[in-house]
Amino acid sequence: MLKRATWSAHEDAEQHGFTRALLDGRLPREGYAAMVAQHYFAYVALERVGRSLAGDPVAGAVVHPGLFRVPALERDLEALYGGDWRERIAPTAATRAYTARIERTAGDPAGYVAHHYTRYLGDLSGGQFIRKVAAGAYGLDERGGTAFYDFSELGSLPRFKAGYRARLDALELDEAARDHVVSETRLAYRLNVAVLADLGHIFAADTAA
């Protein structure tokens, strides 16, 4: 139900000009670094809320320490910006809006599931293609630069994703709650696309569409 209801939103994110430029190897290294920086702010919020909801019967079903990305992002940012990376990055307006929405889900476990699903399932799927492109285009690896996409701790990614989807299927949600998860997932995709648009405007006018 969730995949079917959000497929067009997923394609919007996947086919965004910024994403296409990245996957085609046309995005400058600075653009890739800026994307990693925006991921950092989003995942700090996502994982802070996740830890607070780890014991919740709904949100806790998807929270998994092996998915946490902040330490990997910190390694990537040091590789991309240097030791003073914290002073060199800042959230865009779109990222601030996105993180604010994530933070609101601390009181909305079903809404948190929507944001968790949108980000982590994307990282485990399409994110693996981004990892390969970034490694080739920018000379990076999992030691620093593409550590964000390294989920080797989870073992087989297809098996993990199947288990994740099974946990989603098993959630005891009534119709209103299921509808809420779907609508919040659509919103999460829109917020992600807005972040990409901000980056596209900054780094290349032809990637902003």
Side-chain angles (χ1 to χ4, degrees), residues 12 30 37 41 62 72 96 100 106 135 139 141 144-145 157 166 171-172 176 183:
D12 287 345
E30 292 78 12
F41 296 109
V62 297
R96 289 195 298 272
D141 59 35
L157 295 192
L171 290 177
E172 295 185 2
S183 64

Side-chain angles (χ1 to χ4, degrees), residues 5-167:
T6 60
W7 185 250
S8 64
H10 174 270
E11 287 196 318
D12 287 345
E14 195 172 65
Q15 297 302 320
H16 191 277
F18 184 89
T19 308
R20 295 313 315 166
L22 172 60
L23 292 175
D24 292 345
R26 294 184 289 109
L27 190 71
R29 180 186 170 105
E30 292 78 12
Y32 174 75
M35 181 186 73
V36 175
Q38 301 315 304
H39 283 348
Y40 172 75
F41 296 109
Y43 281 82
V44 166
L46 193 63
E47 291 169 11
R48 181 188 300 128
V49 175
R51 287 185 174 90
S52 75
L53 293 175
D56 182 84
V58 174
V62 297
V63 174
H64 189 294
L67 290 171
F68 290 166
R69 297 291 88 197
V70 170
L73 284 164
E74 291 173 344
R75 291 199 301 277
D76 288 343
L77 289 167
E78 183 164 1
L80 291 164
Y81 285 98
D84 61 344
W85 64 267
R86 292 182 188 276
E87 288 72 49
R88 298 180 61 189
I89 66 171
T92 65
T95 297
R96 289 195 298 272
Y98 182 30
T99 57
R101 186 68 187 191
I102 292 171
E103 288 163 356
R104 285 181 57 183
T105 65
D108 176 15
Y112 178 77
V113 169
H115 289 275
H116 194 279
Y117 166 86
T118 302
R119 281 300 337 167
Y120 292 111
L121 260 288
D123 301 332
L124 292 168
S125 300
Q128 300 307 302
F129 293 100
I130 294 175
R131 177 186 183 181
K132 293 177 183 177
V133 170
Y138 313 119
L140 305 170
D141 59 35
E142 66 278 358
R143 291 170 297 179
T146 65
F148 172 74
Y149 300 107
D150 180 12
F151 289 94
S152 53
E153 180 182 342
L154 298 177
S156 166
L157 295 192
R159 186 180 303 117
F160 183 87
K161 289 190 290 182
Y164 184 101
R165 294 186 183 103
R167 290 192 295 277

